[in-house]
Amino acid sequence: MRNRDGFTLIEILIVITIIGIALGVAYNGVRSSSVKGGVRSAMDAVMTLHAVAKQSAIQRGRSAMLVVNSTTGRVWVISRKASGSGYDTVGNVENLAGRFGVTLRSTRDTFTFTPRGLGNDASGATIIIAKQDFADTITVAATGRIVR
């Protein structure tokens, strides 16, 4: 019998093939979870801003709006000024497209809340947040209630 100290070419190729398949499966799983994570994080941000708009209307005693700009992927809250006309921006403008790499589509660009925190729109609306091949929907009822 002869003493073997190394590996044959066939053995090395089999190991490299197995490693390649394992890396391919792992990459698809990581990429998929990253895409879903971006959409879910953007949804959380929209839901948080929705709550800020509602709470701002109640605390300030005047109407407030959640503004969704589908073109730029930005979402923010505005509140009617106490004196005079116009609106103040409440908090920060969230750039969801830049931050999470998502696209927004909404059936309405503003969601208005009364000083009592109730929705002031005639009908409900939906906000669709998508990234690559994954999308999720937020539904806002006419009363202002949000459903994920």
Side-chain angles (χ1 to χ4, degrees):
M1 295 221 159
R2 73 178 217 218
N3 188 5
R4 281 185 25 184
D5 290 318
F7 298 103
T8 66
L9 181 62
I10 299 292
E11 292 171 332
I12 292 172
L13 289 176
I14 289 173
V15 169
I16 290 173
T17 303
I18 291 171
I19 289 171
I21 291 171
L23 287 175
V25 170
Y27 174 74
N28 285 337
V30 168
R31 186 181 66 85
S32 174
S33 67
S34 172
V35 168
K36 289 179 182 178
V39 170
R40 290 189 178 125
S41 295
M43 287 184 67
D44 290 341
V46 170
M47 293 178 71
T48 298
L49 287 172
H50 177 272
V52 167
K54 203 172 196 178
Q55 198 61 33
S56 176
I58 294 168
Q59 286 177 342
R60 294 170 185 238
R62 49 190 181 271
S63 63
M65 288 188 266
L66 173 66
V67 181
V68 178
N69 187 325
S70 298
T71 307
T72 63
R74 296 177 191 267
V75 182
W76 65 93
V77 176
I78 58 176
S79 178
R80 188 171 299 278
K81 287 185 177 183
S83 61
S85 61
Y87 291 90
D88 286 326
T89 302
V90 178
N92 295 326
V93 176
E94 288 288 336
N95 182 0
L96 301 181
R99 187 172 170 195
F100 301 111
V102 298
T103 57
L104 299 173
R105 287 182 309 204
S106 180
T107 55
R108 182 178 301 127
D109 60 350
T110 58
F111 299 88
T112 307
F113 297 94
T114 66
R116 295 179 62 200
L118 299 174
N120 196 24
D121 300 311
S123 63
T126 57
I127 302 169
I128 300 169
I129 301 172
K131 184 175 181 180
Q132 294 178 6
D133 58 347
F134 182 73
D136 213 342
T137 304
I138 297 172
T139 305
V140 182
T143 59
R145 183 170 181 243
I146 194 166
V147 178
R148 187 173 188 173

